[in-house]
Amino acid sequence: MTAATRHGQELYEALRERRTLAPLIARDPALTVDDAYAISLDFLRRRLADGEKVVGKKIGVTSKAVQDMLGVHQPDFGFLTDWMHVEGDIDVDAKALIAPRAEAEIAFILKEGLSGPGVTAGQVLAATESVVPCFEIVDSRITDWKIGIVDTVSDNASCGVYVLGEERLDPRAFDLPGLHVAVTKNGEPLSEGYGHAVQGDPAQAVAWLANTLGAYGVTLDAGDVILSGSLVPLAPAVKGDSFEMILSDRNPAAGGQAIGRCQARFV
């Protein structure tokens, strides 16, 4: 059994049994980032065999706030499946969430596919049907979130589930780096940030994803939902918590207008 199949099976069983594992890199220190992506693909293969379908991809650890929080200092990627998309309240037990954290993002919905290398931010905008306010609920099958880059990559970029807001916005109508997000938790202000927190421009982050995936023979496809990375620090969540993000065309204090919102309620 290869390292990819061994650790892929471990992570799959941990997901299905709602339990955690000791960090992979601590038990197998020879693992590289390329090994981690092979583990991630094996983990995904097992989920697809259960009937899940890939509906998009996600970028992780793009902002300095998240990098500093997790101690991981390069972006990564994972896959979104239909099972991970939540409409309405998030049932923590039904989705087998262990230690969820909420992060506010801008999601891209593609109308055309993208295949790296060489994809630019301009090409991302041309290929995008709409952008959407989004909460990604990250989670970790690694005990106590003690992750390095190998562990989070192997664990599908620490993805749990995601929630999309109702608004579908034309990305060409706004300055994406200048978009402002304000997040509340249980009705109280929690955090705020801007689009430029993710690699200077959310579209640039998606271009990075297309180019990085290209090296592994994976494409971004028409209809894909792409989560471009958190604009704010991750916030721990438990049953009963309610988060709301309001996306504005610039800081409301400077006269910006709300253009979309998303809620994540944990039950």
Side-chain angles (χ1 to χ4, degrees):
M1 183 181 289
T2 67
T5 56
R6 183 173 69 255
H7 293 307
Q9 180 176 337
E10 274 191 316
L11 286 163
Y12 170 78
E13 291 173 351
L15 172 68
R16 294 297 182 233
E17 296 169 13
R18 198 181 182 184
R19 59 181 173 81
T20 61
L21 305 168
L24 275 57
I25 195 67
R27 294 181 286 121
D28 197 346
L31 290 173
T32 66
V33 172
D34 281 344
D35 292 331
Y37 282 121
I39 294 167
S40 175
L41 289 170
D42 185 85
F43 183 17
L44 175 67
R45 177 182 62 80
R46 296 170 190 275
R47 298 176 69 169
L48 298 183
D50 282 345
E52 295 184 44
K53 297 179 180 178
V54 173
V55 296
K57 287 87 180 178
K58 65 146 287 184
I59 310 164
V61 206
T62 51
S63 72
K64 187 176 187 302
V66 174
Q67 289 179 353
D68 289 345
M69 177 176 287
L70 297 180
V72 175
H73 298 290
Q74 66 189 84
D76 63 5
F77 70 81
F79 296 88
L80 305 178
T81 72
D82 53 349
W83 182 84
M84 297 162 68
H85 180 209
V86 177
E87 296 184 78
D89 292 344
I90 300 166
D91 188 324
V92 172
D93 296 326
K95 292 301 183 182
L97 297 176
I98 299 167
R101 299 179 177 186
E103 53 184 34
E105 305 196 11
I106 297 170
F108 288 64
I109 299 177
L110 300 183
K111 60 183 179 180
E112 300 171 4
L114 293 165
S115 180
V119 174
T120 66
Q123 289 172 320
V124 169
L125 290 179
T128 299
E129 163 120 1
S130 58
V131 293
V132 187
C134 169
F135 272 111
E136 180 187 354
I137 310 306
V138 294
D139 199 16
S140 183
R141 270 62 62 178
I142 305 300
T143 302
D144 297 330
W145 275 95
K146 292 181 178 177
I147 60 172
I149 188 65
V150 165
D151 291 293
T152 187
V153 166
S154 299
D155 190 21
N156 196 34
S158 303
C159 196
V161 298
Y162 68 98
V163 183
L164 298 176
E166 294 183 359
E167 292 85 3
R168 299 293 183 270
L169 307 168
D170 181 352
R172 292 157 291 273
F174 301 99
D175 170 36
L176 296 186
L179 292 182
H180 176 272
V181 65
V183 181
T184 60
K185 179 179 181 180
N186 301 326
E188 298 294 327
L190 178 65
S191 58
E192 60 181 310
Y194 288 89
H196 58 67
V198 287
Q199 297 192 358
D201 181 348
Q204 183 59 48
V206 177
W208 172 88
L209 178 64
N211 293 326
T212 302
L213 284 171
Y216 295 93
V218 181
T219 58
L220 304 186
D221 303 316
D224 269 359
V225 176
I226 309 297
L227 308 189
S228 63
S230 184
L231 309 180
V232 295
L234 285 63
V238 298
K239 285 186 180 183
D241 282 340
S242 178
F243 294 81
E244 182 177 43
M245 63 173 287
I246 296 177
L247 192 65
S248 301
D249 59 358
R250 53 196 167 102
N251 194 325
Q257 298 296 311
I259 56 175
R261 67 184 62 218
C262 184
Q263 290 185 317
R265 297 182 297 268
F266 294 78
V267 298

